[in-house]
Amino acid sequence: MRTSALLVPTIARLAVALTWMGLSSATSLSAVAPLTPPAATDLRCEYMVDPIGIDATHPRLSWRLQSTERGAVQSAYQIQVTQDGKLRWDTGRVASDRSVHLPYGGSALESSRRYTWHVRVWDGGGTVSAWSAPASWEMGLLNAEDWKARWIEPAASEASTAPQPSPMLRGAFAVKGKVKSARAYVTSLGLYELEINGTRVGDQLFTPGWTSYRHRVQYQTYDVTAHVRAGENAIGATLGDGWYRNSLAWGNRRHVYGERLALLCQLRIEFADGRIETVGSDGTWKSTTGPIRMSDIYMGETYDARLERPGWSAPGYPDRDWLPVRVVDPAPRTLVAPAGPPVRRIDIVRPVRILETPAGDTVFDMGQNMVGHVRVSMRGQAGTTVTLRHAEVLDKAGNVYTDNLRAARQQVTYILKGAGDEVYEPHFTFQGFRYVVVSGWPGEPTLDSLVGVVVHSDMRVTGSFETSSPLLNQLQHNIRWGQKGNFLDVPTDCPQRDERLGWTGDAQVFARTAAFNMDVAGFFTKWLADVGADQQSDGAVPHVVPDVLSEKGRGASASAAWADAAVIIPWTMYLNYGDTRVLETQYASMKAWVEYMRRQAGDANLWNTGSHFGDWLAFATTDADYPGATTGKDLIATAFYAHSTDLLKRTAAVLGKTDDEAVYAALVPKIRAAFVREFVTAAGRVGENTQTAYVLALEFELLPDDLRAEAARRLAADVRARAHLTTGFVGTPYLCHVLARHGHLDVAYLLLNRQQYPSWLYPGTQGATTIWERWDGIKPDGSFQDPGMNSFNHYAYGAIGEWMYRVVAGLEIDPEEPGYKHVLVQPHPGGGLTSAVARLQTLYGEAASGWTLADGTLTVSATIPPNTRGTVCLPAATLAGLTESGVAVASAPGVKHAVQRGADVLVEVGSGSYVFVYPAAQLESKPVRE
């Protein structure tokens, strides 16, 4: 991923200059059309709509300025916050165009209290809007003493060598009076599903989520007003092993965090007469087991419907044979409200065919490699056992291929109760699959017998990318589905084998692409808190977060490019969302990591010690005269040392930490000089002469000015000579950026369009519907790569997505005004494409950049959200032949300035949608501006 911190876009600098320029002879100011009355819409608090149970003591408020007119701006705002009808905060009229991340500044917020807010805005002409529709937020439990409930454990004996039946816990309580509102605050050691009076509470899955359990555990807040009633009530919870107690990673390592499951559940009931009553888990609860005989993240689930306990969470259920629970005091952990979105059922995938394999298996083909589980519908005799096995691909003989799952069984077993139509889906497990092998089915299965339930963190879809190339569109599809499959509460590497861990390296290379496809601000805010929690006292960042590879969280080694996620991802979130709080929150972690590298590198400023993954899965070949694209790990480590130090310097500047800024501003050139002395020849050869070596040196600006063009020429020459990339996880995300930026856009497009192995499009030619872990997961001869590491849903190489958004379509961020406050539209047609378009829902509204090439004419479209500005770079254009919406660009409403700048025309515009048309020229003959 390219972080614009490294190179302030040329177009952004020009836009600033244009603001202060007089008009050239070819331009004139255009009057902005009068605005319709403004409105503030889409009110959000901490990225969420009307959240409940948050613990941000100064929650940030955002809204969008609604206007269809060009040049719409906000000149002032007023926020009012009330609680129980009483005014708690009134900003008064504030002269400002700020409309995102406004921190609450009123009196201290209180646990469990709901706050209502609305906003009005003034437009650029001074017209004030009506007050917005009201929005709200509700606080969670802010203090440890707010928790009155007790942790309880089920009484059943629990063996430690294999998954056990899921415990069921229940309690009863009476409600005397009319209920005004009720909230449930719930968490567990392990996973839980909650019921009240026989009804499932909420639609969240895999709660309380996966965090650094040794340090912090999330709790959820539910509005259960509709569940609680006057008179007798009952509450029940089913627990699952989950990440807390299941096997994690390889080697059958169970109980990484603990051996016993536990529940903490508290209800706050507010009555119409003003009384407040708190009830919760305590020693009066009882426990037993039921139909879930085993549920394991890797292995699957066994469910015996004959053992169901109808009405078990309803009042009056006879629980005399249930055992008492144990009240316990687990090791202290901080209970936190979720900062990220919950996991939910997001979509349904219906099978496209049923096939019989040569091995005799009955297989449902879902048509899409997906993550989640299967929901089955059937009827049959009691005791009939139906087994579902899950696989991603078929082998060349047409049989399901499961060797790449390693020890993960991904098997679901359902035993019928024989009571008519039965519908079932698993509870505490998920599978990665396209194919479902069914055995024991009662009768003949049909395409209506099952559906796939897509499960992932409930991130709002924000971006789309489309071109004239069906293969590139399939690539974008695969990238998006790879993100869906692996953003399940943590950014996992793969969703199918016995791993599914939060690998830091994969996350950092993909973060920028992820932020185009979906709103990942909360998702990464949550995960980065665990990065900081699991970071070692010396600053080392574990390979995976949450850390389950280090023995009890200690002694983690740190690898360059992987551990750099601690710095790169916070900066990426800042660029995409203008979020300074994530920088503030993570600053100590960022600095600790850079200081760790500084100690490793010593006075020589060369990091040549320790264990690193290097350019993971770089291209290798059996050709005797080519040893493979091996880039020195010391080169990679030193390059990332420079890169993260530079980002830390920039972060310190944003946060006003001037002393730190000065320290790291002085350190960066020293690292760069050491890099050049050690790895660069006077003739411009870098390291082992690999593509990754040149890419890192150029991307991180490690080379002196007089060697950059030569290094880029060598890189492009190597790509042309081989006609393919040789980069791995480290070099691939930056490869096309570097080529395009240094005048080799045609070579970047060569790589993007290549269909043979190795390439981004090759998997699509083999029927892939997600991104593969390896360039040749399925080899051209139909055989498979090493089954020990061959995921067919592994998003890292999908990092090319950001290049397609940012360069092909041309939608870019100005790092001086992050979060798309200043939108850069700078398309780069080429590669034989005739069209491309990218759209993104920013915090301000939709931004878009697109182009169409037809009959010798280039049409460039741009959408700039209200309350932002844009600069459009029109490649190979002249002012004389340029129109916007059918009129000369200088006369177009919303156009502030237009100027010829070399072979391009730069147009500064206000908000609105624009269509520029001009005769096409040579479009691939110049460097790309980023």
Side-chain angles (χ1 to χ4, degrees), residues 734-884:
Y734 308 115
L735 177 57
C736 285
H737 287 286
V738 168
L739 287 168
R741 193 180 310 116
H742 289 274
H744 302 288
L745 179 64
D746 58 331
V747 182
Y749 267 120
L750 179 154
L751 293 177
L752 182 67
N753 285 320
R754 179 182 169 89
Q755 298 181 30
Q756 301 78 25
Y757 159 78
S759 68
W760 287 284
L761 297 186
Y762 168 73
T765 68
Q766 303 300 301
T769 59
T770 45
I771 298 297
W772 293 354
E773 180 176 19
R774 293 177 176 267
W775 296 119
D776 59 342
I778 300 176
K779 298 180 181 181
D781 65 1
S783 63
F784 294 104
Q785 255 286 0
D786 177 8
M789 191 172 61
N790 194 20
S791 164
F792 295 100
N793 193 348
H794 206 106
Y795 58 71
Y797 284 139
I800 187 62
E802 64 152 293
W803 191 78
M804 298 193 299
Y805 275 97
R806 296 172 61 195
V807 177
V808 176
L811 189 57
E812 182 60 288
I813 293 169
D814 177 359
E816 299 302 319
E817 298 183 58
Y820 297 94
K821 181 65 171 173
H822 179 201
V823 179
L824 307 181
V825 173
Q826 44 191 39
H828 294 90
L833 300 178
T834 57
S835 67
V837 61
R839 303 183 185 278
L840 179 68
Q841 289 295 326
T842 75
L843 292 177
Y844 298 96
E846 182 177 84
S849 174
W851 57 269
T852 301
L853 183 61
D855 300 325
T857 298
L858 185 66
T859 301
V860 175
S861 59
T863 299
I864 312 300
N867 202 33
T868 71
R869 64 189 182 96
T871 301
V872 182
C873 178
L874 300 169
T878 60
L879 282 168
L882 178 62
T883 64
E884 193 288 308

Side-chain angles (χ1 to χ4, degrees), residues 158-302:
E158 297 168 338
S160 62
T161 58
Q164 296 296 296
S166 287
M168 302 166 70
L169 301 87
R170 75 180 306 272
F173 61 97
V175 172
K176 298 178 180 179
K178 184 178 180 180
V179 175
K180 177 182 178 183
S181 69
R183 298 290 185 265
Y185 306 94
V186 191
T187 188
S188 62
L189 303 181
L191 303 178
Y192 74 85
E193 290 183 356
L194 187 71
E195 299 182 19
I196 295 179
N197 293 332
T199 303
R200 171 83 146 82
V201 173
D203 59 359
Q204 301 183 24
L205 303 177
F206 296 97
T207 47
W210 191 9
T211 53
S212 175
Y213 289 140
R214 299 180 186 89
H215 305 286
R216 27 180 259 128
V217 175
Q218 295 181 139
Y219 68 90
Q220 282 71 40
T221 303
Y222 303 96
D223 182 349
V224 294
T225 307
H227 294 267
V228 177
R229 61 199 183 209
E232 296 301 316
N233 291 258
I235 185 168
T238 304
L239 303 184
D241 289 351
W243 299 285
Y244 186 80
R245 202 174 67 170
N246 276 157
S247 296
L248 285 178
W250 39 91
N252 194 29
R253 296 177 66 244
R254 291 183 56 78
H255 302 170
V256 173
Y257 294 105
E259 294 187 358
R260 300 189 64 84
L261 306 180
L263 175 75
L264 181 65
C265 175
Q266 179 166 306
L267 267 65
R268 180 184 186 273
I269 304 171
E270 184 175 353
F271 294 92
D273 60 9
R275 289 180 298 120
I276 294 175
E277 184 176 350
T278 299
V279 298
S281 49
D282 58 23
T284 66
W285 284 48
K286 293 185 175 183
S287 66
T288 190
T289 59
I292 303 176
R293 309 314 295 163
M294 180 277 287
S295 194
D296 183 281
I297 296 289
Y298 296 161
M299 300 305 172
E301 182 168 299
T302 298

